[in-house]
Amino acid sequence: MHYAATLSTATDLIAGQDMWDGIAPEAVARMRLQNRFGCGLDIARHTAKIMRRDMAAYDADPAAYTQSLGCWHGFIGQQKIISIRKHFGTTKGRYLYLSGWMVAALRSEFGPLPDQSMHEKTSVPALIEELYTFLKQADARELGMMFRDLDAARAAGDMTREASLVAAIDGYESHVVPIIADIDAGFGNAEATYLLAKKMIEAGACALQIENQVSDEKQCGHQDGKVTVPHEDFLAKIRACRYAFLELGVDDGIIVARTDSLGAGLTKQIAYSSQPGDLGDQYNAFLAGDPVDSPADLRGDVLIERDGQLIRPRRLRSNLFEFRAGTGEDRCVLDCITALRHGADLLWIETERPDIAQIAGMVDRVREQVPNAKLVYNNSPSFNWTLNFRQQVYDAWAAAGRDVSAYERGALMSVIYDATELAQEADERIRTFQRDASARAGIFHHLITLPTYHTAALGTDQLAREYFGEAGMLGYVANVQRREIREGIACVRHQNMAGSDIGDDHKDYFAGEAALKAGGIHNTMNQFA
């Protein structure tokens, strides 16, 4: 959207109306530029194109991986993108992640809940809409400041500055970025998945992440007790998401198919199989079971045939069936290939530790069947990154014959090792993990699911300790406000961030000289100018 063209359109529109006294074309043009997206579907279509371009760029060069951080409130998402713009000058390759875990823990009317799909399903699209409301407000705020600077340049007769500002407005990069949104296991059957997917897309989501767990048994991917579904059940939900995208005209919407099979040892049902080697037969081949030699051994049992032998699948008192131990990686590979061949765009393999060799081993096998397979990977706070990587270095050193007698493998988290060569090498591996994993293991997108859950807790703990302790008010001033001022954190002028100056501009448009504005000389925010 270009300033001159938008102004010209507004001028022509208003000139054709006899009764619109006091409506200024430039005010209309500015308000239109400050609100570039008419609805959530406009956002979904816009961000899907961004994400597709980024996927193509990654296929050409694995160094072009993308990143995001999880968020549980619109303000948190807004501040992340503002910070990215501030520090890196562009949002390219940076998204937001909407975590079902954080919705359950922080957004449910029931209070804090575990990640088991017990929270209100409508809270997920509501958060998507909230995030984009805050991101659009960031656009309006920043453009509003540019318009004020434009007026000042005009008043000063500075044509060079005026031209520079108009060019900056014309080339403005929106804070509106893709959101990868967690739809859990679909919150019900395929129809329920379709209905919720529509709500999420209408709110602006261009990418939906869905997992292959049983909806009513859903667990966090890093907890025990996970139960998967046969492939056909999962594929029905992938199709439901695709139909939702297509119905709403988001033809290039992205589906992220997540497999929890690596850590899931149970299934709720035996897959339907019509012939040897079909998808159901492949799923059932992973079931733990015992040969049946005599009908007398049976009591209300379900039987399957395996290599000409009747097998009784091992069933628990919960009526769930067990998979054979050690089959997790094979099941993950089959899940990934199947999902990509039936409409998924990206994969998510939930792992129990951040191990590039483990991830790459599975991705290599998937790429034998689907060469351009790409992953979204959870750089999870559920992993003890320090301990994991120190142990990886310890094991590598031991395998190479290096002396590790100064280290106790099980105690490597201890602060006593922080300054050691082993800890430094581990930290370097953590620093380069995303780059290395993207190059070696096909990871297109790295995210941290729950970062601001932890930063909010840590920051609050530090402030409470200081403010309610001996430091008193200095605990806030020295550790929060003074740092905000010196590090250029926009929120130090919290009235401006909340939209006070935007409101003043609107009062000018609506009431002219009669406007009663908040930003006068007595506004204490002027202390931070």
Side-chain angles (χ1 to χ4, degrees):
M1 298 175 70
H2 288 83
Y3 195 84
T6 308
L7 176 58
S8 176
T9 300
T11 301
D12 292 344
L13 173 64
I14 292 167
Q17 304 293 328
D18 295 331
M19 308 296 287
W20 285 5
D21 183 50
I23 301 297
E26 192 147 37
V28 173
R30 291 180 177 188
M31 293 174 79
R32 286 185 171 182
L33 289 167
Q34 286 174 296
N35 184 24
R36 299 175 180 217
F37 302 97
C39 64
L41 289 177
D42 288 345
I43 292 172
R45 296 182 187 111
H46 171 74
T47 53
K49 288 180 172 57
I50 292 173
M51 202 163 168
R52 291 285 180 181
R53 280 200 305 268
D54 288 346
M55 290 163 66
Y58 175 80
D59 286 338
D61 179 7
Y65 61 87
T66 57
Q67 300 166 293
S68 66
L69 292 171
C71 38
W72 50 272
H73 191 277
F75 178 73
I76 299 295
Q78 178 198 67
Q79 292 306 301
K80 287 176 186 173
I81 302 305
I82 287 174
S83 297
I84 288 167
R85 289 274 299 273
K86 169 189 166 187
H87 291 294
F88 303 102
T90 178
T91 62
K92 181 173 175 55
R94 274 87 177 205
Y95 310 158
L96 293 178
Y97 178 67
L98 189 159
S99 163
W101 194 102
M102 285 211 282
V103 171
L106 298 169
R107 302 286 301 216
S108 173
E109 293 183 9
F110 295 103
L113 293 173
D115 185 19
Q116 296 173 354
S117 289
M118 294 190 292
H119 56 283
E120 307 85 349
K121 65 173 71 175
T122 53
S123 61
V124 182
L127 178 54
I128 297 169
E129 184 174 5
E130 178 183 297
L131 285 163
Y132 280 127
T133 296
F134 273 78
L135 292 177
K136 289 191 295 181
Q137 192 265 5
D139 281 356
R141 170 186 168 274
E142 195 166 275
L143 282 163
M145 292 189 294
M146 294 169 76
F147 294 146
R148 288 185 173 204
D149 289 344
L150 180 61
D151 289 340
R154 287 173 174 173
D158 188 342
M159 298 179 64
T160 301
R161 173 69 172 154
E162 178 182 351
S164 174
L165 283 164
V166 170
I169 292 165
D170 288 348
Y172 183 78
E173 181 186 59
S174 173
H175 291 82
V176 171
V177 299
I179 290 176
I180 299 176
D182 187 358
I183 198 171
D184 279 21
F187 285 86
N189 61 16
E191 176 69 8
T193 301
Y194 154 77
L195 293 171
L196 179 56
K198 281 183 61 178
K199 287 290 186 185
M200 293 168 71
I201 298 163
E202 288 169 340
C206 72
L208 303 179
Q209 170 227 323
I210 186 164
E211 61 204 53
N212 70 333
Q213 291 192 48
V214 177
S215 186
D216 59 354
E217 302 283 358
K218 184 261 189 300
Q219 291 278 13
C220 171
H222 292 114
Q223 291 184 315
D224 205 355
K226 294 183 289 294
V227 184
T228 63
V229 297
H231 294 98
E232 289 296 345
D233 293 44
F234 187 50
L235 296 178
K237 293 185 177 182
I238 289 177
R239 293 186 198 103
C241 292
R242 181 62 66 202
Y243 275 115
F245 275 123
L246 294 174
E247 177 182 338
L248 296 172
V250 186
D251 297 347
D252 48 2
I254 292 101
I255 298 172
V256 182
R258 169 174 148 180
T259 172
D260 282 278
S261 291
L262 192 62
L266 302 169
T267 185
K268 195 164 190 176
Q269 63 198 85
I270 295 172
Y272 174 79
S273 174
S274 61
Q275 60 184 359
D278 65 11
L279 198 52
D281 189 50
Q282 292 179 70
Y283 188 82
N284 294 339
F286 294 116
L287 293 170
D290 304 299
V292 174
D293 298 318
S294 170
D297 297 333
L298 303 177
R299 182 173 180 83
D301 289 308
V302 176
L303 302 180
I304 61 173
E305 180 271 336
R306 184 180 292 163
D307 299 327
Q309 169 75 56
L310 284 179
I311 300 293
R312 175 174 53 199
R314 203 165 297 156
R315 182 161 55 179
L316 307 179
R317 290 293 297 269
S318 60
N319 215 30
L320 300 172
F321 296 94
E322 286 187 306
F323 288 114
R324 289 184 286 114
T327 62
E329 289 200 9
D330 290 339
R331 285 183 279 128
C332 278
V333 171
L334 179 60
D335 294 343
C336 291
I337 293 169
T338 303
L340 290 174
R341 285 177 170 171
H342 290 82
D345 301 288
L346 295 168
L347 302 170
W348 174 318
I349 300 175
E350 194 76 306
T351 65
E352 80 283 9
R353 64 186 187 277
D355 186 324
I356 293 176
Q358 178 197 42
I359 304 162
M362 289 184 280
V363 171
D364 286 347
R365 294 173 61 191
V366 173
R367 285 183 161 179
E368 290 174 5
Q369 303 293 321
V370 187
N372 67 338
K374 292 180 285 295
L375 266 65
V376 171
Y377 187 70
N378 180 6
N379 293 226
S380 177
S382 293
F383 305 145
N384 185 331
W385 286 76
T386 301
L387 181 60
N388 267 287
F389 276 85
R390 288 181 181 182
Q391 288 181 337
Q392 287 180 34
V393 173
Y394 179 98
D395 293 342
W397 283 10
R402 289 187 59 171
D403 182 10
V404 292
S405 60
Y407 304 95
E408 183 182 345
R409 189 180 187 279
L412 287 173
M413 183 65 197
S414 173
V415 67
I416 66 172
Y417 296 118
D418 284 359
T420 64
E421 183 184 358
L422 184 147
Q424 291 167 4
E425 182 172 329
D427 282 354
E428 179 61 14
R429 290 192 183 195
I430 293 169
R431 187 185 72 82
T432 63
F433 173 80
Q434 294 188 348
R435 182 193 69 196
D436 296 342
S438 290
R440 173 67 186 88
I443 298 176
F444 158 72
H445 186 77
H446 288 274
L447 60 90
I448 306 177
T449 45
L450 321 174
T452 48
Y453 180 87
H454 294 280
T455 56
L458 179 61
T460 301
D461 179 81
Q462 292 172 339
L463 175 60
R465 180 183 62 203
E466 296 288 322
Y467 176 74
F468 293 109
E470 289 298 318
M473 190 57 193
L474 182 61
Y476 172 78
V477 172
N479 296 318
V480 180
Q481 189 181 77
R482 193 176 296 161
R483 290 186 61 187
E484 286 180 307
I485 294 169
R486 291 176 177 173
E487 295 178 26
I489 306 300
C491 279
V492 72
R493 298 179 66 229
H494 47 258
Q495 309 285 17
N496 167 271
M497 184 58 64
S500 180
D501 288 347
I502 296 173
D504 275 1
D505 291 340
H506 290 170
K507 289 174 184 177
D508 265 338
Y509 302 160
F510 305 156
E513 294 181 0
L516 181 64
K517 295 186 286 186
I521 60 172
H522 298 298
N523 188 321
T524 60
M525 286 294 100
N526 294 326
Q527 296 173 28
F528 303 100

